[in-house]
mmCIF file of all heavy atoms in Angstrom:
data_model
loop_
_atom_site.group_PDB
_atom_site.id
_atom_site.type_symbol
_atom_site.label_atom_id
_atom_site.label_comp_id
_atom_site.label_asym_id
_atom_site.label_seq_id
_atom_site.Cartn_x
_atom_site.Cartn_y
_atom_site.Cartn_z
ATOM 1 N N ASP I 123 0.815 -1.211 0.000
ATOM 2 C CA ASP I 123 0.000 0.000 0.000
ATOM 3 C C ASP I 123 0.855 1.271 0.000
ATOM 4 O O ASP I 123 0.476 2.282 -0.595
ATOM 5 C CB ASP I 123 -0.933 0.015 1.213
ATOM 6 C CG ASP I 123 -2.044 -1.013 1.110
ATOM 7 O OD1 ASP I 123 -2.341 -1.456 -0.012
ATOM 8 O OD2 ASP I 123 -2.625 -1.365 2.155
ATOM 9 N N SER I 124 2.001 1.218 0.642
ATOM 10 C CA SER I 124 2.844 2.389 0.781
ATOM 11 C C SER I 124 3.490 2.850 -0.529
ATOM 12 O O SER I 124 3.968 3.982 -0.609
ATOM 13 C CB SER I 124 3.938 2.137 1.820
ATOM 14 O OG SER I 124 4.746 1.037 1.438
ATOM 15 N N VAL I 125 3.498 1.986 -1.556
ATOM 16 C CA VAL I 125 4.161 2.341 -2.812
ATOM 17 C C VAL I 125 3.218 2.355 -4.005
ATOM 18 O O VAL I 125 3.654 2.701 -5.117
ATOM 19 C CB VAL I 125 5.345 1.399 -3.112
ATOM 20 C CG1 VAL I 125 6.305 1.355 -1.933
ATOM 21 C CG2 VAL I 125 4.846 -0.003 -3.458
ATOM 22 N N LYS I 126 1.952 2.019 -3.816
ATOM 23 C CA LYS I 126 0.999 2.003 -4.919
ATOM 24 C C LYS I 126 0.894 3.378 -5.569
ATOM 25 O O LYS I 126 0.790 4.390 -4.887
ATOM 26 C CB LYS I 126 -0.382 1.557 -4.434
ATOM 27 C CG LYS I 126 -0.487 0.074 -4.133
ATOM 28 C CD LYS I 126 -1.894 -0.309 -3.702
ATOM 29 C CE LYS I 126 -2.004 -1.797 -3.438
ATOM 30 N NZ LYS I 126 -3.365 -2.180 -2.985
ATOM 31 N N GLY I 127 0.929 3.392 -6.895
ATOM 32 C CA GLY I 127 0.858 4.637 -7.637
ATOM 33 C C GLY I 127 2.197 5.293 -7.854
ATOM 34 O O GLY I 127 2.299 6.237 -8.650
ATOM 35 N N ARG I 128 3.237 4.827 -7.152
ATOM 36 C CA ARG I 128 4.568 5.412 -7.281
ATOM 37 C C ARG I 128 5.584 4.436 -7.878
ATOM 38 O O ARG I 128 6.481 4.845 -8.608
ATOM 39 C CB ARG I 128 5.077 5.890 -5.920
ATOM 40 C CG ARG I 128 4.196 6.948 -5.269
ATOM 41 C CD ARG I 128 4.846 7.535 -4.026
ATOM 42 N NE ARG I 128 5.055 6.524 -2.988
ATOM 43 C CZ ARG I 128 6.258 6.180 -2.502
ATOM 44 N NH1 ARG I 128 7.357 6.773 -2.968
ATOM 45 N NH2 ARG I 128 6.354 5.261 -1.553
ATOM 46 N N PHE I 129 5.453 3.152 -7.548
ATOM 47 C CA PHE I 129 6.386 2.134 -8.025
ATOM 48 C C PHE I 129 5.723 1.259 -9.080
ATOM 49 O O PHE I 129 4.514 1.003 -9.025
ATOM 50 C CB PHE I 129 6.848 1.233 -6.874
ATOM 51 C CG PHE I 129 7.741 1.894 -5.861
ATOM 52 C CD1 PHE I 129 7.942 3.264 -5.861
ATOM 53 C CD2 PHE I 129 8.382 1.122 -4.905
ATOM 54 C CE1 PHE I 129 8.759 3.872 -4.921
ATOM 55 C CE2 PHE I 129 9.204 1.713 -3.961
ATOM 56 C CZ PHE I 129 9.396 3.087 -3.968
ATOM 57 N N THR I 130 6.517 0.771 -10.027
ATOM 58 C CA THR I 130 6.022 -0.132 -11.058
ATOM 59 C C THR I 130 6.998 -1.288 -11.231
ATOM 60 O O THR I 130 8.182 -1.063 -11.480
ATOM 61 C CB THR I 130 5.841 0.581 -12.406
ATOM 62 O OG1 THR I 130 4.945 1.688 -12.260
ATOM 63 C CG2 THR I 130 5.273 -0.384 -13.440
ATOM 64 N N ILE I 131 6.495 -2.514 -11.098
ATOM 65 C CA ILE I 131 7.329 -3.690 -11.289
ATOM 66 C C ILE I 131 7.087 -4.242 -12.689
ATOM 67 O O ILE I 131 5.963 -4.247 -13.184
ATOM 68 C CB ILE I 131 7.037 -4.766 -10.218
ATOM 69 C CG1 ILE I 131 8.040 -5.920 -10.319
ATOM 70 C CG2 ILE I 131 5.607 -5.279 -10.323
ATOM 71 C CD1 ILE I 131 7.945 -6.919 -9.167
ATOM 72 N N SER I 132 8.147 -4.688 -13.335
ATOM 73 C CA SER I 132 8.033 -5.268 -14.663
ATOM 74 C C SER I 132 9.107 -6.326 -14.848
ATOM 75 O O SER I 132 10.076 -6.387 -14.087
ATOM 76 C CB SER I 132 8.140 -4.193 -15.750
ATOM 77 O OG SER I 132 9.397 -3.535 -15.696
ATOM 78 N N LYS I 133 8.927 -7.161 -15.862
ATOM 79 C CA LYS I 133 9.850 -8.255 -16.098
ATOM 80 C C LYS I 133 10.075 -8.440 -17.585
ATOM 81 O O LYS I 133 9.125 -8.461 -18.367
ATOM 82 C CB LYS I 133 9.285 -9.537 -15.476
ATOM 83 C CG LYS I 133 10.200 -10.744 -15.513
ATOM 84 C CD LYS I 133 9.510 -11.935 -14.856
ATOM 85 C CE LYS I 133 10.375 -13.176 -14.880
ATOM 86 N NZ LYS I 133 9.643 -14.354 -14.361
ATOM 87 N N ASP I 134 11.333 -8.563 -17.978
ATOM 88 C CA ASP I 134 11.709 -8.831 -19.356
ATOM 89 C C ASP I 134 12.216 -10.270 -19.405
ATOM 90 O O ASP I 134 13.361 -10.543 -19.053
ATOM 91 C CB ASP I 134 12.783 -7.857 -19.833
ATOM 92 C CG ASP I 134 13.093 -7.996 -21.309
ATOM 93 O OD1 ASP I 134 12.845 -9.070 -21.887
ATOM 94 O OD2 ASP I 134 13.577 -7.016 -21.905
ATOM 95 N N ASN I 135 11.359 -11.185 -19.826
ATOM 96 C CA ASN I 135 11.717 -12.599 -19.829
ATOM 97 C C ASN I 135 12.843 -12.917 -20.814
ATOM 98 O O ASN I 135 13.654 -13.811 -20.561
ATOM 99 C CB ASN I 135 10.494 -13.453 -20.151
ATOM 100 C CG ASN I 135 9.476 -13.463 -19.041
ATOM 101 O OD1 ASN I 135 9.832 -13.515 -17.857
ATOM 102 N ND2 ASN I 135 8.200 -13.409 -19.391
ATOM 103 N N ALA I 136 12.905 -12.197 -21.927
ATOM 104 C CA ALA I 136 13.946 -12.429 -22.913
ATOM 105 C C ALA I 136 15.328 -12.119 -22.353
ATOM 106 O O ALA I 136 16.317 -12.746 -22.729
ATOM 107 C CB ALA I 136 13.689 -11.601 -24.172
ATOM 108 N N LYS I 137 15.403 -11.141 -21.451
ATOM 109 C CA LYS I 137 16.672 -10.735 -20.856
ATOM 110 C C LYS I 137 16.862 -11.289 -19.446
ATOM 111 O O LYS I 137 17.877 -11.018 -18.808
ATOM 112 C CB LYS I 137 16.774 -9.212 -20.819
ATOM 113 C CG LYS I 137 16.749 -8.558 -22.191
ATOM 114 C CD LYS I 137 16.808 -7.044 -22.092
ATOM 115 C CE LYS I 137 18.113 -6.576 -21.493
ATOM 116 N NZ LYS I 137 18.224 -5.086 -21.498
ATOM 117 N N ASN I 138 15.884 -12.051 -18.957
ATOM 118 C CA ASN I 138 15.918 -12.598 -17.595
ATOM 119 C C ASN I 138 16.188 -11.501 -16.566
ATOM 120 O O ASN I 138 17.018 -11.654 -15.673
ATOM 121 C CB ASN I 138 16.978 -13.696 -17.482
ATOM 122 C CG ASN I 138 16.637 -14.931 -18.282
ATOM 123 O OD1 ASN I 138 15.469 -15.276 -18.450
ATOM 124 N ND2 ASN I 138 17.664 -15.610 -18.776
ATOM 125 N N THR I 139 15.470 -10.397 -16.707
ATOM 126 C CA THR I 139 15.702 -9.242 -15.859
ATOM 127 C C THR I 139 14.397 -8.713 -15.269
ATOM 128 O O THR I 139 13.402 -8.570 -15.981
ATOM 129 C CB THR I 139 16.403 -8.117 -16.628
ATOM 130 O OG1 THR I 139 17.642 -8.602 -17.158
ATOM 131 C CG2 THR I 139 16.696 -6.935 -15.714
ATOM 132 N N LEU I 140 14.414 -8.425 -13.986
ATOM 133 C CA LEU I 140 13.295 -7.835 -13.270
ATOM 134 C C LEU I 140 13.618 -6.377 -12.989
ATOM 135 O O LEU I 140 14.760 -6.040 -12.666
ATOM 136 C CB LEU I 140 13.059 -8.573 -11.956
ATOM 137 C CG LEU I 140 11.879 -8.113 -11.095
ATOM 138 C CD1 LEU I 140 10.563 -8.569 -11.714
ATOM 139 C CD2 LEU I 140 12.018 -8.651 -9.676
ATOM 140 N N TYR I 141 12.616 -5.496 -13.096
ATOM 141 C CA TYR I 141 12.812 -4.076 -12.875
ATOM 142 C C TYR I 141 11.857 -3.548 -11.821
ATOM 143 O O TYR I 141 10.776 -4.074 -11.605
ATOM 144 C CB TYR I 141 12.583 -3.283 -14.165
ATOM 145 C CG TYR I 141 13.474 -3.676 -15.308
ATOM 146 C CD1 TYR I 141 13.026 -4.557 -16.288
ATOM 147 C CD2 TYR I 141 14.767 -3.166 -15.425
ATOM 148 C CE1 TYR I 141 13.840 -4.917 -17.346
ATOM 149 C CE2 TYR I 141 15.581 -3.526 -16.485
ATOM 150 C CZ TYR I 141 15.116 -4.393 -17.440
ATOM 151 O OH TYR I 141 15.924 -4.748 -18.493
ATOM 152 N N LEU I 142 12.274 -2.470 -11.180
ATOM 153 C CA LEU I 142 11.407 -1.733 -10.277
ATOM 154 C C LEU I 142 11.621 -0.252 -10.543
ATOM 155 O O LEU I 142 12.660 0.306 -10.179
ATOM 156 C CB LEU I 142 11.698 -2.055 -8.809
ATOM 157 C CG LEU I 142 10.762 -1.378 -7.798
ATOM 158 C CD1 LEU I 142 9.344 -1.937 -7.944
ATOM 159 C CD2 LEU I 142 11.258 -1.575 -6.370
ATOM 160 N N GLN I 143 10.650 0.380 -11.206
ATOM 161 C CA GLN I 143 10.690 1.813 -11.454
ATOM 162 C C GLN I 143 10.101 2.518 -10.242
ATOM 163 O O GLN I 143 8.948 2.274 -9.884
ATOM 164 C CB GLN I 143 9.901 2.170 -12.710
ATOM 165 C CG GLN I 143 9.868 3.661 -13.031
ATOM 166 C CD GLN I 143 11.226 4.210 -13.388
ATOM 167 O OE1 GLN I 143 11.952 3.614 -14.171
ATOM 168 N NE2 GLN I 143 11.585 5.351 -12.794
ATOM 169 N N MET I 144 10.878 3.386 -9.618
ATOM 170 C CA MET I 144 10.459 4.076 -8.413
ATOM 171 C C MET I 144 10.400 5.574 -8.685
ATOM 172 O O MET I 144 11.422 6.195 -8.969
ATOM 173 C CB MET I 144 11.413 3.784 -7.257
ATOM 174 C CG MET I 144 11.598 2.297 -6.977
ATOM 175 S SD MET I 144 12.631 1.973 -5.524
ATOM 176 C CE MET I 144 14.203 2.614 -6.108
ATOM 177 N N ASN I 145 9.199 6.139 -8.604
ATOM 178 C CA ASN I 145 8.987 7.565 -8.812
ATOM 179 C C ASN I 145 8.480 8.212 -7.531
ATOM 180 O O ASN I 145 7.996 7.539 -6.627
ATOM 181 C CB ASN I 145 7.976 7.799 -9.941
ATOM 182 C CG ASN I 145 8.432 7.260 -11.270
ATOM 183 O OD1 ASN I 145 9.618 7.293 -11.598
ATOM 184 N ND2 ASN I 145 7.485 6.760 -12.066
ATOM 185 N N SER I 146 8.581 9.534 -7.470
ATOM 186 C CA SER I 146 8.114 10.296 -6.308
ATOM 187 C C SER I 146 8.645 9.707 -5.009
ATOM 188 O O SER I 146 7.900 9.490 -4.048
ATOM 189 C CB SER I 146 6.583 10.340 -6.290
ATOM 190 O OG SER I 146 6.075 10.930 -7.464
ATOM 191 N N LEU I 147 9.930 9.454 -4.965
ATOM 192 C CA LEU I 147 10.539 8.817 -3.806
ATOM 193 C C LEU I 147 10.428 9.675 -2.552
ATOM 194 O O LEU I 147 10.503 10.904 -2.620
ATOM 195 C CB LEU I 147 12.000 8.490 -4.095
ATOM 196 C CG LEU I 147 12.212 7.275 -5.002
ATOM 197 C CD1 LEU I 147 13.622 7.262 -5.571
ATOM 198 C CD2 LEU I 147 11.943 5.997 -4.214
ATOM 199 N N LYS I 148 10.247 9.002 -1.422
ATOM 200 C CA LYS I 148 10.114 9.641 -0.128
ATOM 201 C C LYS I 148 11.222 9.158 0.802
ATOM 202 O O LYS I 148 11.770 8.073 0.606
ATOM 203 C CB LYS I 148 8.751 9.308 0.495
ATOM 204 C CG LYS I 148 7.558 9.656 -0.367
ATOM 205 C CD LYS I 148 6.265 9.181 0.287
ATOM 206 C CE LYS I 148 5.060 9.515 -0.565
ATOM 207 N NZ LYS I 148 3.799 9.035 0.070
ATOM 208 N N PRO I 149 11.566 9.936 1.828
ATOM 209 C CA PRO I 149 12.600 9.503 2.777
ATOM 210 C C PRO I 149 12.307 8.135 3.393
ATOM 211 O O PRO I 149 13.241 7.374 3.656
ATOM 212 C CB PRO I 149 12.583 10.603 3.840
ATOM 213 C CG PRO I 149 12.162 11.819 3.087
ATOM 214 C CD PRO I 149 11.128 11.320 2.106
ATOM 215 N N GLU I 150 11.031 7.802 3.613
ATOM 216 C CA GLU I 150 10.681 6.512 4.187
ATOM 217 C C GLU I 150 10.913 5.339 3.243
ATOM 218 O O GLU I 150 10.781 4.184 3.643
ATOM 219 C CB GLU I 150 9.220 6.503 4.671
ATOM 220 C CG GLU I 150 8.225 6.991 3.636
ATOM 221 C CD GLU I 150 7.850 8.449 3.831
ATOM 222 O OE1 GLU I 150 8.758 9.270 4.062
ATOM 223 O OE2 GLU I 150 6.643 8.771 3.759
ATOM 224 N N ASP I 151 11.265 5.617 1.986
ATOM 225 C CA ASP I 151 11.626 4.563 1.047
ATOM 226 C C ASP I 151 13.077 4.124 1.224
ATOM 227 O O ASP I 151 13.504 3.143 0.608
ATOM 228 C CB ASP I 151 11.416 5.022 -0.395
ATOM 229 C CG ASP I 151 9.957 5.274 -0.731
ATOM 230 O OD1 ASP I 151 9.096 4.470 -0.297
ATOM 231 O OD2 ASP I 151 9.674 6.261 -1.435
ATOM 232 N N THR I 152 13.832 4.839 2.030
ATOM 233 C CA THR I 152 15.233 4.512 2.263
ATOM 234 C C THR I 152 15.361 3.121 2.868
ATOM 235 O O THR I 152 14.774 2.825 3.910
ATOM 236 C CB THR I 152 15.882 5.543 3.189
ATOM 237 O OG1 THR I 152 15.889 6.818 2.549
ATOM 238 C CG2 THR I 152 17.312 5.149 3.520
ATOM 239 N N ALA I 153 16.124 2.251 2.219
ATOM 240 C CA ALA I 153 16.288 0.873 2.670
ATOM 241 C C ALA I 153 17.232 0.142 1.732
ATOM 242 O O ALA I 153 17.605 0.647 0.675
ATOM 243 C CB ALA I 153 14.941 0.145 2.715
ATOM 244 N N MET I 154 17.610 -1.069 2.136
ATOM 245 C CA MET I 154 18.304 -1.977 1.248
ATOM 246 C C MET I 154 17.238 -2.756 0.486
ATOM 247 O O MET I 154 16.344 -3.353 1.102
ATOM 248 C CB MET I 154 19.206 -2.926 2.032
ATOM 249 C CG MET I 154 20.044 -3.850 1.168
ATOM 250 S SD MET I 154 21.414 -2.994 0.337
ATOM 251 C CE MET I 154 22.540 -2.775 1.723
ATOM 252 N N TYR I 155 17.320 -2.751 -0.825
ATOM 253 C CA TYR I 155 16.326 -3.422 -1.651
ATOM 254 C C TYR I 155 16.885 -4.731 -2.188
ATOM 255 O O TYR I 155 17.997 -4.776 -2.715
ATOM 256 C CB TYR I 155 15.889 -2.526 -2.814
ATOM 257 C CG TYR I 155 14.938 -1.429 -2.390
ATOM 258 C CD1 TYR I 155 15.384 -0.363 -1.619
ATOM 259 C CD2 TYR I 155 13.595 -1.475 -2.749
ATOM 260 C CE1 TYR I 155 14.509 0.633 -1.214
ATOM 261 C CE2 TYR I 155 12.718 -0.484 -2.351
ATOM 262 C CZ TYR I 155 13.178 0.570 -1.586
ATOM 263 O OH TYR I 155 12.302 1.564 -1.185
ATOM 264 N N TYR I 156 16.081 -5.799 -2.070
ATOM 265 C CA TYR I 156 16.487 -7.130 -2.477
ATOM 266 C C TYR I 156 15.544 -7.699 -3.529
ATOM 267 O O TYR I 156 14.333 -7.505 -3.461
ATOM 268 C CB TYR I 156 16.497 -8.092 -1.279
ATOM 269 C CG TYR I 156 17.452 -7.719 -0.175
ATOM 270 C CD1 TYR I 156 17.040 -6.880 0.853
ATOM 271 C CD2 TYR I 156 18.743 -8.217 -0.152
ATOM 272 C CE1 TYR I 156 17.903 -6.540 1.876
ATOM 273 C CE2 TYR I 156 19.610 -7.880 0.864
ATOM 274 C CZ TYR I 156 19.183 -7.042 1.879
ATOM 275 O OH TYR I 156 20.048 -6.710 2.897
ATOM 276 N N CYS I 157 16.100 -8.421 -4.468
ATOM 277 C CA CYS I 157 15.342 -9.158 -5.462
ATOM 278 C C CYS I 157 15.261 -10.615 -5.023
ATOM 279 O O CYS I 157 16.230 -11.169 -4.510
ATOM 280 C CB CYS I 157 16.033 -9.043 -6.825
ATOM 281 S SG CYS I 157 15.348 -10.079 -8.126
ATOM 282 N N ALA I 158 14.099 -11.247 -5.209
ATOM 283 C CA ALA I 158 13.909 -12.640 -4.831
ATOM 284 C C ALA I 158 13.146 -13.385 -5.919
ATOM 285 O O ALA I 158 12.370 -12.793 -6.662
ATOM 286 C CB ALA I 158 13.154 -12.736 -3.507
ATOM 287 N N ALA I 159 13.364 -14.712 -5.996
ATOM 288 C CA ALA I 159 12.707 -15.523 -7.019
ATOM 289 C C ALA I 159 12.366 -16.903 -6.489
ATOM 290 O O ALA I 159 13.042 -17.427 -5.607
ATOM 291 C CB ALA I 159 13.596 -15.650 -8.252
ATOM 292 N N LYS I 160 11.309 -17.493 -7.041
ATOM 293 C CA LYS I 160 10.922 -18.855 -6.729
ATOM 294 C C LYS I 160 10.224 -19.459 -7.930
ATOM 295 O O LYS I 160 9.735 -18.742 -8.810
ATOM 296 C CB LYS I 160 10.029 -18.919 -5.483
ATOM 297 C CG LYS I 160 8.720 -18.152 -5.586
ATOM 298 C CD LYS I 160 7.933 -18.248 -4.282
ATOM 299 C CE LYS I 160 6.662 -17.424 -4.330
ATOM 300 N NZ LYS I 160 5.918 -17.495 -3.039
ATOM 301 N N TYR I 161 10.151 -20.793 -7.957
ATOM 302 C CA TYR I 161 9.553 -21.494 -9.088
ATOM 303 C C TYR I 161 8.243 -22.173 -8.740
ATOM 304 O O TYR I 161 7.702 -22.920 -9.551
ATOM 305 C CB TYR I 161 10.536 -22.525 -9.634
ATOM 306 C CG TYR I 161 11.749 -21.900 -10.269
ATOM 307 C CD1 TYR I 161 12.934 -21.756 -9.555
ATOM 308 C CD2 TYR I 161 11.704 -21.437 -11.582
ATOM 309 C CE1 TYR I 161 14.040 -21.162 -10.129
ATOM 310 C CE2 TYR I 161 12.800 -20.846 -12.162
ATOM 311 C CZ TYR I 161 13.972 -20.706 -11.435
ATOM 312 O OH TYR I 161 15.064 -20.116 -12.016
#
């Protein structure tokens, strides 16, 4: 809920790459960001 409307997640399967577009960043967004995967 805290990032709805500001962040967008997308995936490029051809490049095996996950993205996170972060707009309108706020100080409370400060953190270590991790990518995770499962099958």
Side-chain angles (χ1 to χ4, degrees):
D123 289 339
S124 60
V125 306
K126 286 182 179 179
R128 300 188 297 119
F129 291 10
T130 302
I131 187 171
S132 61
K133 186 180 179 186
D134 187 337
N135 290 320
K137 298 178 64 175
N138 292 328
T139 302
L140 182 74
Y141 301 97
L142 184 67
Q143 179 66 46
M144 305 184 294
N145 298 325
S146 301
L147 284 163
K148 304 175 180 179
E150 51 262 45
D151 294 319
T152 296
M154 184 73 75
Y155 284 71
Y156 299 89
C157 172
K160 60 182 177 182
Y161 293 97

